[in-house]
Amino acid sequence: SLAGNGLTQQVAQSFSEGFNCSDSSRLLNFKTSSFQNVKSANPKFPVVVYLSSFNSMCYENFTLFEGLARSGYVVVSVSSIGRYPGDMTMKNEDMMQQVFDAISSLKYLKNNSNIDFSKVGIIGYSWGGLSGAILAGKFSNVACLVSFDGSEFHHYGQAKEEDDDFEGIINSDDFKKLSLSIPYLRLESSPITKSSKKDSIYNFSEKLSGDKIILKVDSTEHQDFCCLPVVVRASGNCKINQSFNVISKLTVSFLDEHLKKSNSFSRVL
């Protein structure tokens, strides 16, 4: 089938036009730090499961994954595409599909001799923050949870249908029984221009009994928790802010502290 022919070019052009920088040719030839089919090192490494944002693909934060790999982690990144055939919605069934995909991915890797499954960290971005929280409640060996501006703190008042869908999620059996005692780090956007279109926020803290840290990253938009804006600008030699660099350093040091007992997070913070 040629149904997807040219789609990569279209996506690259869309990113370039959206950020008013670079072009599809320079973006698609951007040199990454990833290598295919390299030989694994001998030791066992802790695993980090990444849950991508609403209707997004698993490569949306590939530079973060490269940094995690350099720091000695195996990374499992899970797309967010909903139930077959991929018609994503904000309903509980589609959110749970990402959770099930993550569980299936871990089961597939369970016999990998290079992975230490007794040390698992979870990162979720936006909608993936909500599914990441649910996933954390399904494993006893999860060491910590990191949320990138996650939807587990739902903002009511922006759209009635979204509010209704979120109510369906928090009234589901999986969410009702959710109680997390693991360390939790939430990094929130703090845009310069404030949106007033909300009337309340669901307090996910009620589900957390362990140590929790909630930080606002100054002058950061929701999209800044994804590496793609940085990559587009880098490919076009455009100005890059340091928000994603800050987010990445905080995330890796938090994982190091709870998966490797490094005591590095407070120093980085």
Side-chain angles (χ1 to χ4, degrees), residues 42-70:
N42 289 326
K44 285 182 176 288
F45 300 100
V47 61
V48 175
V49 184
Y50 177 89
L51 289 304
S52 57
S53 58
F54 182 83
N55 204 30
S56 188
M57 303 307 292
C58 58
Y59 55 76
E60 67 179 12
N61 255 325
F62 73 88
T63 62
L64 172 65
F65 308 153
E66 290 171 343
L68 287 166
R70 283 193 296 271

Side-chain angles (χ1 to χ4, degrees), residues 21-47:
C21 176
S22 194
D23 56 46
S24 57
S25 178
R26 284 187 287 180
L27 180 55
L28 291 174
N29 285 287
F30 179 80
K31 187 175 181 179
T32 73
S33 298
S34 301
F35 297 87
Q36 189 174 10
N37 298 325
V38 295
K39 184 178 179 180
S40 299
N42 289 326
K44 285 182 176 288
F45 300 100
V47 61

Side-chain angles (χ1 to χ4, degrees), residues 110-213:
K110 69 179 181 178
N111 293 324
N112 189 306
S113 60
N114 295 110
I115 302 177
D116 183 354
F117 286 98
S118 69
K119 299 175 181 177
V120 179
I122 297 176
I123 306 172
Y125 171 33
S126 191
W127 193 244
L130 179 56
S131 52
I134 298 293
L135 178 65
K138 291 184 173 293
F139 286 93
S140 59
N141 55 344
V142 174
C144 62
L145 172 63
V146 181
S147 173
F148 287 179
D149 221 17
S151 299
E152 68 275 17
F153 281 83
H154 176 73
H155 291 201
Y156 288 97
Q158 296 180 330
K160 184 180 184 304
E161 184 177 357
E162 292 180 9
D163 293 346
D164 291 343
D165 287 343
F166 185 76
E167 285 294 313
I169 290 172
I170 64 176
N171 287 309
S172 67
D173 290 339
D174 284 303
F175 196 90
K176 282 182 176 179
K177 66 184 181 183
L178 181 65
S179 179
L180 300 177
S181 59
I182 57 175
Y184 171 87
L185 171 65
R186 175 176 173 82
L187 301 176
E188 290 187 348
S189 58
S190 183
I192 297 173
T193 304
K194 304 294 183 181
S195 173
S196 60
K197 196 176 179 182
K198 61 184 179 186
D199 55 25
S200 63
I201 301 175
Y202 176 80
N203 184 16
F204 183 73
S205 296
E206 296 175 350
K207 293 287 185 178
L208 304 170
S209 59
D211 293 337
K212 52 184 176 288
I213 302 172

